[in-house]
Amino acid sequence: MSGYIISIIDSSEGLGQSLISSSLAMTLANQSKKEIGLLNLNFNAPSYFSFLFNVKTQKSLNDIFEIIERLDAKMFRGFLAKHPSGVCFTDTVSGFDSTKVLISRIELLLSFLRETFDFSVVSVNRYLSPQTISVLDGSNIVILVIPPHLLSVKNASDVIQQLKTLHFPLSFVKILINMSGMKGALDEDIIKEHLKADIIGRIPYDSGVIVPCINEGTPPLERFPHSPFSKAIKEIGNLLLKEKQKSEKGEPSIFQFISSKERKTELKAQEL
């Protein structure tokens, strides 16, 4: 098996990255009827997956990294908690020193994900450290989550410029507008003009659903499956599954297969 890795970058701080990542993983599990991997590789922020799923984890990602060279894919899977939907995950504990995470360990972790799951959803930081770049090198798509306000668009533009400088293709990045339709939101045409990237979906502003789910520790897809939020997440999951089928048939799809060696060669040539 060679699964697909979806990296989620949030252009603003907060709970939104964990909420969207966990919801996307859950809808992929529900629709595919298969286990889906979910990890927080945003080393500068703790994840809230166990809180959002109301499932306790036995081992943190911090623990796994300490022994990862002694694991194989099956042993790695055994360290993950599992939600009844089929989402397999663990959390990252706050205070994690990402500078001590070896690139080789990240590459090994990603290989375990690809070997174990058809899809894995990983949260990453918008600041592209060497560790984050190694995650993106192993990903097939980046979904950039953007609340529709100017500061968020500016942050997203900075991310895209960093990726272009590192020779990641613009087609690698898709935009997901979060809190779409909220009062005072930027017009979608302005967002497109600034970012020059395709929009993969729109998550409506749905505080009447999200706030109770956070307070109860119940996933929105489970508590309010027919809400606008849940319907929007399901549409994105359905799109990703269809694009996977196209990719497996050798047809053009939104998933990229980037050669990190080729990308680094181009980057080195540019520096010279």
Side-chain angles (χ1 to χ4, degrees), residues 11-179:
S11 62
S12 61
E13 302 296 334
L15 186 62
Q17 187 176 40
S18 288
L19 180 64
I20 289 177
S21 297
S22 59
S23 297
L24 183 57
M26 188 171 180
T27 198
L28 287 170
N30 288 338
Q31 293 183 42
S32 68
K33 308 300 181 186
K34 295 182 178 180
E35 292 184 346
I36 301 295
L38 173 66
L39 291 178
N40 175 41
L41 298 180
N42 180 351
F43 301 114
N44 292 334
S47 56
Y48 302 98
F49 300 142
S50 58
F51 175 77
L52 293 169
F53 283 131
N54 196 22
V55 174
K56 291 183 178 180
T57 58
Q58 298 298 318
K59 294 285 186 180
S60 70
L61 187 60
N62 314 43
D63 298 323
I64 293 173
F65 270 125
E66 290 295 324
I67 59 171
I68 194 165
E69 287 93 349
R70 303 198 296 272
L71 303 179
D72 58 22
K74 185 176 180 180
M75 295 167 68
F76 162 74
R77 166 63 188 85
F79 281 116
L80 303 182
K82 182 177 178 180
H83 183 264
S85 64
V87 178
C88 301
F89 70 96
T90 190
D91 277 317
T92 306
V93 179
S94 59
F96 194 21
D97 187 356
S98 63
T99 61
K100 294 182 179 179
V101 180
L102 300 177
I103 301 300
S104 60
R105 292 182 174 180
I106 293 174
E107 292 172 346
L108 186 56
L109 177 73
L110 297 177
S111 73
F112 288 165
L113 290 174
R114 283 192 293 269
E115 186 177 341
T116 308
F117 304 108
D118 276 10
F119 281 105
S120 295
V121 180
V122 298
S123 304
V124 296
N125 198 288
R126 73 172 188 264
Y127 301 108
L128 303 188
S129 67
Q131 287 79 8
T132 298
I133 293 169
S134 70
V135 176
L136 298 181
D137 271 330
S139 301
N140 301 103
I141 187 173
V142 170
I143 297 179
L144 187 50
V145 180
I146 304 175
H149 57 73
L150 196 57
L151 179 58
S152 179
V153 172
K154 180 185 179 303
N155 290 339
S157 179
D158 290 344
V159 171
I160 290 174
Q161 289 305 313
Q162 290 180 75
L163 290 170
K164 288 172 66 176
T165 300
L166 292 166
H167 284 273
F168 285 97
L170 187 57
S171 57
F172 184 53
V173 182
K174 304 300 177 187
I175 302 301
L176 175 58
I177 300 177
N178 190 24
M179 298 188 291

